[in-house]
Structure formats: structure tokens, C-alpha cells
Amino acid sequence: MTSTLIPKVALSKDFLESYSRLPRKVQKKVREFTEKFRKDPTQSGINFETLEFSKDDKIRSVRVGLDYRLILIHPPKGDVYLCVWVDHHDEAYQWAKNRVFEVNPHMGAFQVYDMEGLEQAELPIETEAIEETPGLLAEVDSEELLLAGVPSPLLPAVRALQTDDELEKLAPHLPEEAAEMLYLLAAGYDFMAALEEISATPPTPAAAVDVEDFQAALERPETQRTFKVVADDADLADVLDAPLDQWRIFLHPSQRKLVTWNVKWPIRVLGGAGTGKTVALLHRARHLARDVFTEPDDRVLVTTFTKNLAGDLRTNLRNLCGPEFERIEVVNIHSWAVQFMRKQGQKFVVLKTNERNDRLERAWGSVDDPQFPLSFYQDEWEQVVQAAEVLTREEYFKVRRVGRGTRISRQQRAKIWEVFEAFRRILEDEHRVEWSDVVRETRMYIEKQKIQLPYKAVLVDEVQDMKPGELKLFRSIVPSGPNDMFLVGDGHQRIYGRPCSLSACGIEIRGRSRRLKLNYRTTQRIRNYAVALLKGLEIDDLDDGIDNLKGYTSLRTGVDPEVHHFAKEGQEAKFIVERVKKWLETNSPNSICLTARTKKDLNIRYAALLKREGIPFRSLEGDDEDSSSEPEKVRISTMHRMKGLEFPRVMIVGMHSKSMPLEVEGITDDAGREDHELREKCLFYVAATRARDELVVTGYGEKSAFL
């Protein structure tokens, strides 16, 4: 009995992008053809046409309807077929004409590159001699460039690069991994460090690579970042239903290593804005639920600090996962604690911030001769008493007051505690609690009752915003064991809370920490602008160390951010309207987001402005689900709500001396002022790094110190 190879079909990123732009009627025909083709690419009804004018003799065209052509790569041997483009026939032929598709003899990965790019970039072509002349990559020899994935026909062009701008022109025509390597090498990485960042496997000796073996090439992580092998009809339907959600389908090798990393203890992942930390977390949640913790009662908890971000994570996981989603719980940590305690029969009312301040003021006024102004007690309560879970007078005498600038004696502590005792009595009389109380009581209940929860793993996004009590609760929720915790964060983006140590909260990550450095969202010039906001500031690494953004680099140069400051509010308003309308001439409304520091500014000034001008908009405030719906509307948002989102064009509006840093009352010492200013700078950094392509900052009146 002879066995026959089952033909395989793979779809490229380019194919999905071109498919997404087709009219719906044509999409339907392409889908029907692709389903038929996947079942048997060799059947007699499919007519492969050779493109005689193309540079690659493996390229074939297949008719889809009267006027459209699907571009395929016909394997030199075996039964693997690649769908790489679909378009109106003239445009499809033009796209395919100068492209080359091949297995790289050094990396073993399948690559696509565009010979036409050499002419557009006005760089040397294959027939010209390679000269080891000084240039952008003068410190890298040609053999290293080949090992890094640069196709040999493009080596003269790469060697000739003199400036970052020339690299920017050439990069879109190179294989993705080769372009990444060149960006890193140009940024000063040594060869091995750059290779480790972009490759999951070391280069292969040329003699060991069969350049005609598509099957082997498609199994390599470097190929899987741009090609998806379709497993069955359901898999095909899932991909074609959302062709632009490419984060669901393609993973960078550095992300894939994190997703499948099998370890005995918690993992910490650091990385600047746009490095793909959250994408790695989402894929790891699916991997754990689908491939690791597979018993019917096993649960995976995905959590974060805010309800809005938890809603975004839930939507994305629902779109990413199959049946395993039923065993993944996605909820912000405060909501989880409330739900858990209510199931245990506990009832309470959580104070809002303004209610907390009102009751603390009453307690402060009830004590004879309070030692300090009310603002001191508000900060001391939040940053010392609640953060360190201080419950008694004796504990307050001993607690370290890290980061508090005002030095106090033991006698002063005794007087201060009188106010806090009075405050707690008020809350007890009213049967009210704070979020910190809910988190602490939840953890203590789990530990005292020795409750075994069904969670095998907890995955935490934006872990830098968590307080010590919340980190300790995570450790109580999931038992210690293999793959138990996956924590992603960035101290540069801390906009809630204060620095705290994972290890001090019972989460030991030493030796199991990784850092993502490649920014796939923001251009280098936007990144430079945002990073400059934090220059000279010490940022923690979430575990008693100091973090930095060394090696953090973007893969696109882009255009410089624009900063426009006006004397009057009306002048700013006029500029905003003109720029938004100009953007709308060539871009979809949902690619644009306006963001302001406060909800009051956003609603009173900027929402009202867009409404007066007849520009449809949607506020993201209060939404906890998919933020990509209603594509016909411009987005508006506070800076806090921007966490976890991204847009091609972002305008940060209303920047003036009182809005950024936000003018607040009651900060009485230098340490408090420094802490407030740091969080405001981090918030500005978060807002600026939501922009993919263009960033515009506007303000009026007295200029913000941050500008």
C-alpha cells in the first residue's frame, strides 16, 4: 500500500492584506476558490498560468472570476503551495513581476523580496561589484549579512547603504527578518546580539539547507511570522473572517519563544511600548489553556488593573481562541476579588476616591491638633498604611516609609495614627471599605480557609500598575508550579501606584526574566520624542532593580512629531479641526484619536468642538469591549484610557501648564512633587506611544513644562 502526500496550502501576510481590500463579491469568490484549492491544489479544474515576464519562475497565476487573479508560488518539488497575493489582473501581475520567493540557504526560512525596490531606492543591483566601502554597515562583513538573512542578490544594495534614510527606503522591499537585522545593526547592536533578537534558531550551514524544500521552510519560526499553513476548513474560515487581525495569526520568533516557554516558576517580561508584550500574553494564555492545562476543570486567569483594559483583553482572546476560551477567565483584579468574596457570602460597599477623602477629612477634623495638613494624611494612608497593609499602631511604628519626603518621629507617628484610627471607625460604622481592603481580605480569606482554586496559571498585563496587596493576591490565587505566572509590564508606563518588588510579594522571577526590545508599533522618531520625556529619570524593573531602554528601537523611521502651541484656546481649536479634516481626506475616521489629560477637558472642549464642526466621533470612556467597531467615527479618549490601544494618527490636545503636569492640591514635600511629576511624564509617554505613524501635540495658554 503506497502513501500519498496530502497537499498543503499556506497564506502569506501579503495575501491576507490584499484579500481584505477586495470588494465583498470578489472576496466570496476568492474564498470559494481557496476552499476548493486547499482540498486539492492539483485537481484538473485549476489552471496554473506561468508569468513569463516575472523574475521568479515559480510564480503562477490562477483566474478568480473574470477580472481577478490569485498569485501562487508553485513548489519545485513536494506538495506545498503558497498563496501570496490577489488583485485585479493588471495590478496582480504588476505586483508579482519583480518579486522573488525563495528559501534562504543560510536561515532555512522562506523569504519574499522585491527587486524593484533597488531601482526605487537608487541603490546598486546584483550585477554590480560588492565593495567593502565605509557606509552605514561598515562594521558588519558580508558573510554576517548573508547569515542574517540578506538575500545574496540584495547584498550590493545593502553594502551601499550610507544613511538611515536610505535604509528606510530599502527596508519595505527586503524580507522582514533581514530588514530587522539591518535596523538593529545600524543602531549599534553587535551581530550575535541582533541575531538573538530576531531569530529563534541559529543560522544553518548552506550545505544543510534544501532550498527546494518548502515544507521544512514553513516549519521554521522565522517563516511562520509571515506564512500561515491552513490546517482545515475551519482554520481557513477563521483566517479569512478577520484578515487584518494579523497579530492572531503571525508571531515574531521572540514572541513565540515566550509563548511556548516551559518553566517551573513565574516569568517576567519587560519591554517598552509597542514591543508586543500583550500579544505574547494573549497567545500564551491560549497555549496554556489549549496545550498545557487541558483538564475540564483547569482554569487560566488573565487579569490587569483596569476594567477597560480587561475588556480589550477579553475581546481579543475571544477572537484568538477556539473552545479553550471557555476555560480562560478575563477580569480586572478588583472585580475578581469582589466576585469571589460575594460568592463566600461577604457583602460590602466600596468607597469612591472622593468619598474616601471626605471621611478622612472628618477623621482629621475630629483629632485635637493634627500634626500635618490633610493632604499629608491622604498620601500617608495610601502610600504607606494601605500599601504596606498596616493594621495596628505597633505596625505603623515599624513600617518603612519609602519615598515619603517628610521625616517623622515616633511621637509624631502616634499622633498621626489617631487620625487613621478615627478614619477606620467611621468606615466600620458605615460598613464601607476601600479596594485595598477588599484585596487584602480576599487574600487572607483564601489563605486562612486553605481554599484550592481551579486556576493553574495567572497571566497579568500591565503588572507595573499593581500594588503589593494585588501581587500577593496573585500568589494566593494560583499554587506554585510549572508555568504558574506570566507577568508583563514596563515601569516607564506606570500611571497608577508606586514601584514595588515582585520578590518581596512572594513572586520569585530571578533567572526567568526576558526583555522585548523591538518596537513594532511606533516609528523611531515618535519613539525618540516619547523616550526623551523620561531622560535622566530612574525607572524600576519591578523587582528592586533599575530598568532602562537600552537597545529599545523601532523598525520604521517615520516623520517627526509635530508640536503646536497657541496663545489662545480658539487658535488651538481651529488647528485641530483643520488637521482632523485633512487627515479624513485620505484616512478612515477610526485611524484617528484625540486624547486629553482629563475627562472634563475631553468632554467640555474637544468633544464639543468636534460636534460643532459636524465631525462624527466616539468616546472610548466607559467602554470595556471592542474599541474597533463603528469605523466611521473619530475616537476621543483620556490619556489613561489610551493604555493598551494604538492608532495610526494620534493628537494629544489641551497641553498647558495646569493640565500637564496636572495641577493638584495638597502635595506638601519634594518627594511627593517628584512622584507626581514622574507619573505625569509616564502618562504622557503612554499617550505619545499609542501613535503608529503620526503624532501631533497641541496646547494653548501658558506652555506645559513637558513641551
Side-chain angles (χ1 to χ4, degrees):
M1 182 175 180
T2 58
S3 62
T4 57
L5 271 174
I6 299 174
K8 290 187 177 181
V9 173
L11 311 180
S12 73
K13 272 186 178 182
D14 288 333
F15 172 80
L16 293 176
E17 198 169 308
S18 60
Y19 171 83
S20 72
R21 294 197 291 263
L22 297 175
R24 288 194 177 274
K25 288 183 178 179
V26 181
Q27 280 188 351
K28 183 179 178 182
K29 290 182 179 180
V30 172
R31 191 172 189 138
E32 290 170 351
F33 169 82
T34 310
E35 290 172 353
K36 173 184 173 184
F37 183 71
R38 192 200 67 78
K39 290 173 182 174
D40 184 4
T42 63
Q43 59 189 279
S44 58
I46 299 175
N47 183 27
F48 295 97
E49 298 178 6
T50 302
L51 304 187
E52 296 180 357
F53 52 81
S54 66
K55 286 189 170 15
D56 191 328
D57 61 10
K58 298 185 296 296
I59 296 176
R60 301 289 185 271
S61 168
V62 176
R63 184 187 299 270
V64 182
L66 292 175
D67 298 323
Y68 287 83
R69 300 292 184 271
L70 194 153
I71 303 299
L72 295 148
I73 305 305
H74 191 283
K77 68 178 184 180
D79 292 296
V80 178
Y81 295 81
L82 311 178
C83 297
V84 295
W85 193 258
V86 60
D87 210 336
H88 190 273
H89 58 77
D90 288 348
E91 287 76 9
Y93 295 155
Q94 183 60 38
W95 180 88
K97 179 180 178 181
N98 292 296
R99 278 178 169 76
V100 177
F101 303 82
E102 64 184 19
V103 176
N104 184 282
H106 297 281
M107 298 188 75
F110 197 87
Q111 294 185 320
V112 182
Y113 56 92
D114 180 9
M115 294 298 293
E116 185 181 12
L118 302 180
E119 299 173 8
Q120 294 177 350
E122 298 181 347
L123 293 167
I125 58 174
E126 182 179 5
T127 56
E128 298 183 30
I130 301 175
E131 296 181 8
E132 304 287 344
T133 55
L136 188 64
L137 301 167
E139 301 301 316
V140 187
D141 64 42
S142 296
E143 185 62 26
E144 287 178 327
L145 291 175
L146 291 172
L147 290 172
V150 175
S152 56
L154 301 188
L155 193 56
V158 171
R159 289 254 60 109
L161 291 171
Q162 297 293 318
T163 65
D164 288 331
D165 286 339
E166 289 182 351
L167 175 56
E168 183 81 358
K169 291 177 182 178
L170 181 62
H173 309 286
L174 294 169
E176 284 190 11
E177 61 277 1
E180 285 184 12
M181 279 293 295
L182 297 187
Y183 276 117
L184 292 176
L185 293 170
Y189 274 66
D190 67 60
F191 174 75
M192 292 308 298
L195 191 63
E196 186 176 345
E197 284 295 325
I198 68 106
S199 179
T201 51
T204 306
V209 174
D210 182 351
V211 296
E212 295 187 346
D213 190 346
F214 286 16
Q215 174 68 46
L218 287 169
E219 292 173 358
R220 296 182 68 93
E222 292 81 8
T223 304
Q224 292 168 5
R225 63 184 288 179
T226 51
F227 281 89
K228 160 73 174 176
V229 176
V230 179
D232 51 37
D233 286 346
D235 195 21
L236 177 63
D238 179 60
V239 172
L240 295 183
D241 282 344
L244 291 181
D245 288 348
Q246 296 195 350
W247 66 270
R248 298 186 309 122
I249 306 162
F250 306 105
L251 275 180
H252 189 278
S254 62
Q255 293 173 320
R256 191 176 297 278
K257 284 189 281 189
L258 292 173
V259 169
T260 57
W261 192 12
N262 185 30
V263 293
K264 292 183 178 181
W265 308 108
I267 297 171
R268 174 190 63 178
V269 179
L270 300 175
T275 53
K277 300 183 300 296
T278 300
V279 169
L281 179 142
L282 294 170
H283 279 267
R284 184 164 178 86
R286 181 181 68 169
H287 167 70
L288 292 177
R290 185 183 62 185
D291 304 323
V292 180
F293 303 119
T294 58
E295 294 298 319
D297 293 334
D298 289 348
R299 294 291 181 271
V300 171
L301 176 63
V302 175
T303 188
T304 189
F305 189 72
T306 67
K307 286 184 177 180
N308 284 329
L309 187 51
D312 295 334
L313 294 172
R314 186 183 308 113
T315 297
N316 288 330
L317 267 171
R318 186 183 295 117
N319 292 336
L320 174 65
C321 293
E324 69 276 2
F325 181 70
E326 297 301 318
R327 294 186 295 105
I328 301 175
E329 188 175 338
V330 190
V331 61
N332 76 302
I333 189 58
H334 289 166
S335 296
W336 185 92
V338 168
Q339 293 166 17
F340 173 82
M341 292 300 280
R342 285 180 177 165
K343 286 179 182 177
Q344 316 309 314
Q346 306 291 316
K347 295 182 179 180
F348 42 77
V349 178
V350 180
L351 281 172
K352 296 179 180 177
T353 301
N354 62 329
E355 295 173 332
R356 193 272 313 264
N357 291 340
D358 173 68
R359 284 148 182 81
L360 188 54
E361 184 174 6
R362 282 161 49 192
W364 177 75
S366 70
V367 174
D368 293 335
D369 189 27
Q371 297 288 295
F372 298 100
L374 175 62
S375 59
F376 170 87
Y377 289 85
Q378 292 171 339
D379 291 342
E380 186 80 358
W381 176 259
E382 180 178 354
Q383 297 176 20
V384 178
V385 176
Q386 289 287 47
E389 298 185 335
V390 174
L391 300 178
T392 67
R393 183 173 182 262
E394 288 69 29
E395 289 174 348
Y396 185 58
F397 284 159
K398 298 176 183 177
V399 70
R400 294 179 62 213
R401 301 174 62 254
V402 178
R404 299 289 284 148
T406 304
R407 299 177 65 87
I408 57 175
S409 66
R410 181 181 176 86
Q411 185 179 9
Q412 287 174 314
R413 290 198 189 210
K415 291 290 292 181
I416 292 168
W417 190 253
E418 291 179 13
V419 174
F420 294 152
E421 273 190 324
F423 176 53
R424 280 218 165 105
R425 283 196 297 271
I426 292 172
L427 298 191
E428 288 172 3
D429 291 343
E430 297 181 353
H431 302 288
R432 291 174 181 263
V433 296
E434 293 187 280
W435 283 118
S436 295
D437 301 321
V438 175
V439 169
R440 182 183 64 252
E441 293 301 319
T442 301
R443 187 189 84 248
M444 293 174 67
Y445 186 91
I446 293 171
E447 293 174 353
K448 184 178 180 180
Q449 300 297 324
K450 294 182 171 57
I451 295 175
Q452 295 295 314
L453 296 167
Y455 304 105
K456 300 299 183 183
V458 172
L459 295 88
V460 185
D461 196 22
E462 306 290 357
V463 70
Q464 77 279 348
D465 287 329
M466 298 294 177
K467 299 174 183 175
E470 290 143 5
L471 295 173
K472 293 175 184 177
L473 177 57
F474 298 144
R475 186 65 285 173
S476 298
I477 289 173
V478 63
S480 296
N483 305 305
D484 57 347
M485 303 183 81
F486 189 81
L487 313 168
V488 305
D490 174 20
H492 301 84
Q493 298 184 67
R494 178 180 288 108
I495 59 177
Y496 303 102
R498 295 168 62 84
C500 57
S501 165
L502 291 171
S503 57
C505 297
I507 302 172
E508 183 56 60
I509 50 84
R510 299 186 195 282
R512 292 173 302 279
S513 182
R514 294 293 182 270
R515 184 185 306 275
L516 296 173
K517 298 178 181 178
L518 300 181
N519 184 335
Y520 299 96
R521 177 199 302 143
T522 304
T523 66
Q524 185 73 357
R525 285 173 178 164
I526 293 174
R527 188 208 71 88
N528 288 345
Y529 177 81
V531 168
L533 296 168
L534 305 178
K535 185 177 181 180
L537 299 175
E538 279 199 352
I539 305 294
D540 69 292
D541 70 350
L542 319 184
D543 200 46
D544 293 327
I546 301 300
D547 193 14
N548 61 61
L549 293 173
K550 183 179 180 181
Y552 174 47
T553 188
S554 298
L555 298 180
R556 297 178 297 136
T557 303
V559 298
D560 287 325
E562 298 179 35
V563 179
H564 299 274
H565 192 80
F566 302 92
K568 298 180 179 179
E569 181 182 346
Q571 295 171 320
E572 183 203 34
K574 180 181 178 183
F575 174 84
I576 290 170
V577 170
E578 289 175 351
R579 177 55 60 91
V580 170
K581 288 183 175 179
K582 182 179 179 181
W583 276 342
L584 288 172
E585 291 175 2
T586 54
N587 301 281
S588 62
N590 70 322
S591 70
I592 301 166
C593 185
L594 270 65
T595 182
R597 172 62 182 86
T598 67
K599 194 176 293 187
K600 181 179 178 181
D601 257 1
L602 186 71
N603 293 333
I604 292 177
R605 288 192 173 91
Y606 302 105
L609 171 64
L610 296 180
K611 188 174 183 179
R612 284 198 307 270
E613 294 294 328
I615 299 173
F617 66 90
R618 174 189 171 190
S619 175
L620 300 181
E621 298 304 302
D623 297 327
D624 62 355
E625 291 296 336
D626 186 7
S627 62
S628 63
S629 59
E630 298 185 277
E632 73 283 359
K633 295 183 178 181
V634 169
R635 286 4 185 194
I636 64 170
S637 169
T638 60
M639 291 185 182
H640 282 86
R641 178 63 182 99
M642 294 288 276
K643 179 71 78 76
L645 304 178
E646 63 178 69
F647 302 90
R649 281 151 286 281
V650 169
M651 187 180 293
I652 300 175
V653 298
M655 291 286 290
H656 53 77
S657 60
K658 294 183 178 180
S659 72
M660 184 59 74
L662 186 66
E663 192 174 71
V664 294
E665 298 178 357
I667 300 178
T668 58
D669 54 56
D670 290 341
R673 280 186 285 273
E674 289 175 6
D675 179 65
H676 174 67
E677 184 169 305
L678 174 59
R679 276 192 279 182
E680 290 291 285
K681 285 185 175 181
C682 288
L683 182 59
F684 192 11
Y685 170 85
V686 167
T689 53
R690 301 310 97 185
R692 288 211 312 257
D693 304 316
E694 294 183 64
L695 173 65
V696 176
V697 182
T698 71
Y700 64 90
E702 186 177 344
K703 185 178 289 190
S704 164
F706 293 176
L707 301 184

